[in-house]
Amino acid sequence: MLLSCIYILLLGFTSCFFFKSSCSASDFSLEGDYLLGGLFPLHEIEKETTLFSAETTECFRHISSKSGYHMLQVMRFAVEEINNSTTLLPNVSLGYDIFDHCSNTKNFNSVLRFISKNGSIKPKEKLNNYQPKVIALTGPYGSTRTMTIAPLFTMDLIPMVNYGATTYALSNKLQYPSFVRTIPSNKDMIEMIIHIIRWFGWNWVAFIGSQDDYSSDGLKLFNEYISNTGICLAYQEGLSLNTNYSLTLKKIDMLNINVIVVFALPQYASKFIKAAIANNIQDKVWIASNAWAMNQQLPREPGIEKIGTVIGITERLLSLPGFNQFVYKARGTSDADHNDAEGKVKSKTCNQVCHYCSLLTAEEIINENPSLSFAIYAAIYTIAHALHKVLQCDINECQKNTMAKPYMLLGEIKKLHFILNGRQVKYDDHFDPAISFAVVVWRTEVNPPQFVMVGTYEKHAGITFTIDNSLLPWRNNGSVSLFVESHADSCRPCCKWDPYTCFPCAEGEWSDEGSTTCKTRSVVYPQFTEIASITVMVSAACLIILLIAIFCLFAYNYDTPVVKSAGGGMCFLMLTSLIMSSISVFFFFGKPTFVFCLLRNAIFVFFFTVCISCLTVRAFQIISVFKMATQFPKLHSLWVKHNGQSLFIAFVSFIHFISCVIWMTVDTFKLIADSWTYKDQLMLMCEMGNTITLTIVVFISWFLGFLCLLFSYMGRDLPKNYNEAKSITFSLILYYLSWIAYFTAYLTLKSKYIVVLNAVAQVSSINGILFSYFIPKSYIIIFQPQKNTPAYFQTSIQNYTQTISRT
């Protein structure tokens, strides 16, 4: 991925430098003592292509964005005004290099040109020696685009005085140390929106955004700030170009939501409003974020007056004296030179091409969306005032022998405080500006449509917020009652029935956050008809059939040496215990009940422990015959005389039975409905009972298994017919691993299939003993009868005795 990124950067850089033609004096460039960079969206890409593709973007091939050209003219106007000033930078001229920035990921050629020095980039050069092409820049428009390129500037502390990126993440100076903005952040915008909602007492709102950093940041902040305000976010969605806008609007209408916050980029907001008109959505309040609050085309859409009232939030609309005259003058001189310039500009690949720009009239440029005009104007003046400080200018001249570096400007920007067109410009510790918003209402019933300022929001030492209600043209026959809703004391995650008061859903129900309806939770448990359940139950049934068959086989061949060496009568107790253990598997499936919860583990734990105790006794008994009888004859005599194997099994079984009874009675098995793991499900589960008593029950079984492993290891050198070390070791290790896996899953995962895994652990444990201990002996009885004779066993014992005597 890193190599791909580097490849794209180099490709974009070289494509600009190797194929560019000289940029003559035009809208895009101007020579000066210090160059400023400008990035404006003269075109927009409707749909971004794959990030890691080999081509760069030529913006002029995409959709025109007239508002971007308006922004460019504001920057040119500000630079010309500063150059004509005799006090700000008296003997220093500013120039600019402006590029069309239309893509989130494929406009690196212009960025690399800004940070280059004489056509090359030296990333590790010291700040004192570093003099990139531009001293500072403004732009680009949009949070995602800004966050994509910001690291290339901030690593060398080149001031990015931005006019159109509002995501709150950019206020983090550890990540973006040289990012400055002249437009308030989303944090301030969301606070303003919440002030408006609370002003009118609305508490049932929808939040519509787009799938980008701007909207996701706004939604996150909105959710955070509405807590404890009584505002209920009844619906939220992030729009894309492929979103079914009609379906979204129908959902909002079905939820009786009358207040809709549209915090989206202009292209998405425009489609959403047009869809509202097409779907005959009426009498709503639409709160427009600054991205589209001053959109010049939407108020002219036929039928817009029916959708309700559009309240826009924008920066204080301050006019720029002299801007209109500048545009008229620029249009008058540029039209004459257009034909000559056009021939030159077509060969450029530096995104300094704009075919439609020269076709715009002065009126069209002036009447474009002005909401970012002052932000751009303030950005250029911020750079100029910082340069004024660095060059130690007075009213007559600047110290031109002082070479200003980008990082020097950054230090001065933080200390700036000046008045620009009657408005103060200053920055806080995060390089965010003073807050000054205007609340505007669209008057779409008049021609041409008007934007009427009805309120203001100032945030300096404190917050000053006012709205003139008399200026609001409510669409409900002049009455505001439709929209004045009573506050709910609180808005819980689940809301139903009453769209203005939120109530929790019942335990068996669930709801999306802020929804008005509760849905029935699906009750989940391993059902008999599921594939996993059928597989385990068929396996258990096959086990039972096989165990019964072996039981009959051993009974028929009871007097043979193989059966006697396997334990004789004790084999039938082991087989019976395994059959009973297998039966417990069937209690794991179907809707659980108290009886099912009780039997599914209790039966297995008790009878499987009886089986292990038999294996332990059998391993010990063989050791005692071949080794203990000669070394400890008296102890062996006592063991045989008092039928030690039966006493041991009876004792262990009794102790384990008592512990199981305590386990089942101290903290009775409970059927629980898990409603917290998955919001839309109720998982029916059985609690495992008291933890301490469960530990004792498991410990007895596992300790017997350890003794069995120990005795079988001690008899690893016994005659082959009596050596069960490998089979016992295999079966018990499988037993331990199966249950370790189950308990690990039980403690870490929450799913109905944990129950199935419990049943699988039981089947696996039974299989271990069956296939390692009984199946080999059954094979000898059926297919190798010559090994099931007293003579064969006697020969094996004699060979063992001779081997022992020789050693």
Side-chain angles (χ1 to χ4, degrees):
M1 180 178 281
L2 179 60
L3 292 175
S4 300
C5 292
I6 295 172
Y7 173 68
I8 291 173
L9 292 177
L10 292 178
L11 183 65
F13 195 39
T14 55
S15 66
C16 180
F17 274 82
F18 282 104
F19 298 104
K20 70 186 177 93
S21 63
S22 60
C23 298
S24 59
S26 68
D27 285 352
F28 293 98
S29 60
L30 177 70
E31 296 296 328
D33 296 325
Y34 290 95
L35 281 187
L36 308 183
L39 297 173
F40 299 99
L42 303 182
H43 297 83
E44 288 288 352
I45 298 179
E46 186 171 25
K47 186 176 182 181
E48 292 274 7
T49 54
T50 307
L51 175 60
F52 297 115
S53 55
E55 78 279 0
T56 55
T57 293
E58 292 181 305
C59 292
F60 73 88
R61 302 185 185 278
H62 298 283
I63 301 171
S64 302
S65 175
K66 296 178 183 179
S67 61
Y69 189 63
H70 174 96
M71 299 177 196
L72 178 148
Q73 294 297 338
V74 172
M75 177 177 175
R76 294 183 64 240
F77 167 65
V79 170
E80 180 174 298
E81 198 173 64
I82 292 168
N83 285 340
N84 292 335
S85 170
T86 57
T87 57
L88 186 53
L89 295 172
N91 61 332
V92 173
S93 63
L94 294 181
Y96 51 75
D97 216 357
I98 298 174
F99 287 89
D100 186 358
H101 198 85
C102 61
S103 169
N104 291 342
T105 58
K106 297 182 181 179
N107 278 154
F108 284 103
N109 51 354
S110 55
V111 174
L112 293 171
R113 183 169 178 173
F114 286 159
I115 65 175
S116 66
K117 179 181 180 181
N118 299 324
S120 63
I121 299 173
K122 298 178 181 179
K124 294 186 178 180
E125 192 165 0
K126 293 182 179 179
L127 292 178
N128 286 332
N129 301 326
Y130 184 54
Q131 187 70 45
K133 183 172 183 178
V134 299
I135 192 75
L137 79 151
T138 186
Y141 173 72
S143 297
T144 300
R145 293 173 186 177
T146 302
M147 294 173 77
T148 302
I149 67 171
L152 294 172
F153 294 99
T154 57
M155 66 180 179
D156 293 315
L157 297 181
I158 301 173
M160 289 184 72
V161 188
N162 190 279
Y163 61 84
T166 59
T167 183
Y168 188 49
L170 289 165
S171 295
N172 185 339
K173 293 303 108 179
L174 292 176
Q175 287 186 291
Y176 306 100
S178 66
F179 178 83
V180 185
R181 60 177 145 212
T182 56
I183 185 173
S185 70
N186 283 347
K187 174 179 177 292
D188 302 300
M189 174 67 63
I190 293 297
E191 287 179 347
M192 169 69 166
I193 290 173
I194 292 173
H195 270 82
I196 292 175
I197 293 172
R198 298 189 70 182
W199 177 276
F200 295 107
W202 301 324
N203 64 354
W204 192 244
V205 302
F207 191 102
I208 303 299
S210 44
Q211 296 177 7
D212 50 71
D213 293 307
Y214 169 73
S215 295
S216 60
D217 183 53
L219 176 59
K220 178 183 176 183
L221 292 167
F222 189 79
N223 272 306
E224 179 182 343
Y225 291 164
I226 63 173
S227 60
N228 301 319
T229 63
I231 299 172
C232 188
L233 181 55
Y235 184 82
Q236 64 186 50
E237 186 169 349
L239 303 175
S240 69
L241 293 174
N242 299 322
T243 298
N244 188 332
Y245 291 81
S246 296
L247 180 60
T248 300
L249 288 161
K250 287 178 182 177
K251 290 179 181 178
I252 291 173
D253 216 30
M254 288 175 61
L255 293 172
N256 296 322
I257 301 171
N258 291 321
V259 180
I260 305 164
V261 178
V262 185
F263 200 93
L265 295 179
Q267 58 266 39
Y268 302 105
S270 179
K271 287 195 171 187
F272 189 64
I273 296 299
K274 289 177 182 178
I277 298 171
N279 285 271
N280 197 31
I281 302 298
Q282 298 183 8
D283 298 329
K284 305 287 186 186
V285 170
W286 309 82
I287 300 179
S289 66
N290 62 332
W292 66 283
M294 298 296 293
N295 187 289
Q296 300 297 302
Q297 286 76 40
L298 275 179
R300 293 175 168 82
E301 283 290 320
I304 187 76
E305 68 280 355
K306 295 180 181 178
I307 68 169
T309 301
V310 180
I311 299 177
I313 299 172
T314 184
E315 280 214 88
R316 291 289 295 274
L317 301 179
L318 297 175
S319 61
L320 302 179
F323 176 69
N324 293 359
Q325 291 81 353
F326 170 81
V327 174
Y328 280 115
K329 178 182 175 182
R331 287 290 87 182
T333 57
S334 66
D335 288 345
D337 300 329
H338 168 61
N339 293 331
D340 293 336
E342 188 69 17
K344 294 179 181 180
V345 81
K346 281 184 179 178
S347 64
K348 297 180 183 179
T349 58
C350 295
N351 282 329
Q352 292 184 320
V353 178
C354 182
H355 296 306
Y356 77 86
C357 293
S358 59
L359 303 177
L360 296 176
T361 65
E363 288 77 12
E364 287 178 305
I365 298 171
I366 293 168
N367 292 329
E368 267 302 318
N369 184 352
S371 58
L372 295 177
S373 295
F374 185 80
I376 298 167
Y377 188 68
I380 304 304
Y381 267 89
T382 293
I383 298 170
H385 275 273
L387 193 57
H388 176 96
K389 295 288 186 182
V390 172
L391 296 178
Q392 302 174 12
C393 303
D394 55 29
I395 60 174
N396 297 314
E397 65 176 359
C398 298
Q399 303 298 318
K400 298 190 76 172
N401 59 338
T402 301
M403 179 56 68
K405 304 289 184 180
Y407 75 93
M408 297 178 181
L409 269 67
L410 191 64
E412 294 296 335
I413 287 174
K414 191 172 183 179
K415 297 181 285 185
L416 289 180
H417 187 184
F418 60 94
I419 303 299
L420 186 62
N421 285 7
R423 178 170 161 183
Q424 61 174 334
V425 177
K426 64 177 182 177
Y427 302 94
D428 61 17
D429 292 338
H430 303 289
F431 287 123
D432 288 335
I435 310 304
S436 182
F437 282 122
V439 183
V440 297
V441 168
W442 291 12
R443 296 293 303 271
T444 55
E445 74 279 4
V446 298
N447 191 17
Q450 298 175 0
F451 299 92
V452 179
M453 189 171 78
V454 298
T456 58
Y457 178 89
E458 303 281 349
K459 186 177 180 182
H460 299 296
I463 294 176
T464 304
F465 174 60
T466 59
I467 288 181
D468 187 346
N469 290 344
S470 65
L471 297 176
L472 295 170
W474 301 109
R475 301 299 183 194
N476 187 34
N477 298 322
S479 170
V480 75
S481 61
L482 174 64
F483 303 109
V484 177
E485 303 157 358
S486 60
H487 278 282
D489 292 333
S490 63
C491 183
R492 300 179 180 89
C494 300
C495 311
K496 67 174 186 175
W497 308 123
D498 179 3
Y500 309 112
T501 306
C502 297
F503 300 96
C505 292
E507 185 179 3
E509 297 175 330
W510 73 283
S511 171
D512 289 316
E513 185 174 353
S515 175
T516 54
T517 57
C518 291
K519 305 172 187 177
T520 303
R521 294 177 186 263
S522 56
V523 180
V524 296
Y525 52 85
Q527 300 185 23
F528 286 111
T529 54
E530 293 182 26
I531 294 177
S533 304
I534 293 171
T535 302
V536 176
M537 287 189 292
V538 168
S539 300
C542 292
L543 275 178
I544 293 172
I545 294 171
L546 193 55
L547 287 166
I548 293 174
I550 293 174
F551 188 99
C552 296
L553 179 66
F554 274 43
Y556 184 77
N557 296 276
Y558 180 74
D559 292 325
T560 62
V562 168
V563 175
K564 290 185 179 297
S565 68
M570 192 167 55
C571 290
F572 301 110
L573 178 59
M574 292 172 64
L575 288 166
T576 303
S577 297
L578 292 178
I579 291 170
M580 295 301 296
S581 298
S582 300
I583 291 174
S584 68
V585 171
F586 296 95
F587 295 108
F588 285 94
F589 307 103
K591 189 172 183 178
T593 62
F594 172 75
V595 174
F596 274 36
C597 290
L598 189 65
L599 297 179
R600 60 173 51 170
N601 279 307
I603 291 178
F604 172 82
V605 168
F606 175 72
F607 284 102
F608 194 80
T609 302
V610 172
C611 182
I612 292 179
S613 68
C614 292
L615 275 179
T616 304
V617 165
R618 195 265 173 186
F620 175 76
Q621 194 160 334
I622 293 175
I623 292 294
S624 68
V625 169
F626 284 94
K627 294 186 176 182
M628 184 177 162
T630 56
Q631 298 178 11
F632 305 101
K634 290 185 178 181
L635 287 177
H636 179 259
S637 175
L638 286 172
W639 175 265
V640 173
K641 180 180 179 181
H642 297 287
N643 198 5
Q645 63 178 17
S646 300
L647 289 176
F648 180 83
I649 294 172
F651 176 75
V652 169
S653 299
F654 176 75
I655 294 297
H656 196 255
F657 177 77
I658 295 300
S659 64
C660 286
V661 170
I662 295 173
W663 173 40
M664 291 183 289
T665 55
V666 167
D667 192 357
T668 308
F669 284 64
K670 295 177 182 177
L671 172 64
I672 60 171
D674 181 350
S675 60
W676 53 88
T677 301
Y678 302 103
K679 67 178 184 180
D680 59 340
Q681 294 180 1
L682 276 179
M683 283 196 300
L684 298 185
M685 304 173 66
C686 297
E687 282 191 335
M688 295 293 287
N690 184 271
T691 304
I692 297 175
T693 54
L694 172 62
T695 304
I696 294 172
V697 168
V698 173
F699 173 78
I700 293 173
S701 180
W702 284 32
F703 180 71
L704 284 173
F706 172 75
L707 288 179
C708 188
L709 283 172
L710 181 64
F711 293 146
S712 64
Y713 178 78
M714 292 171 63
R716 66 189 185 282
D717 57 348
L718 295 179
K720 184 178 180 181
N721 293 340
Y722 296 93
N723 190 341
E724 304 291 351
K726 291 183 180 178
S727 62
I728 290 176
T729 300
F730 172 79
S731 62
L732 290 175
I733 287 179
L734 182 61
Y735 165 63
Y736 288 138
L737 290 178
S738 298
W739 286 98
I740 288 172
Y742 165 69
F743 281 119
T744 301
Y746 177 79
L747 294 173
T748 57
L749 302 175
K750 291 295 183 182
S751 168
K752 70 175 183 178
Y753 293 108
I754 291 295
V755 178
V756 178
L757 190 59
N758 192 346
V760 169
Q762 292 189 7
V763 171
S764 177
S765 302
I766 297 167
N767 273 322
I769 296 177
L770 174 62
F771 283 93
S772 65
Y773 190 82
F774 286 105
I775 292 296
K777 292 172 174 49
S778 301
Y779 180 82
I780 292 174
I781 293 172
I782 298 172
F783 298 106
Q784 295 178 333
Q786 70 277 11
K787 294 182 180 181
N788 190 18
T789 62
Y792 182 84
F793 274 73
Q794 190 63 35
T795 301
S796 178
I797 294 172
Q798 289 174 356
N799 292 336
Y800 170 75
T801 305
Q802 291 173 3
T803 302
I804 292 298
S805 63
R806 284 197 296 268
T807 57

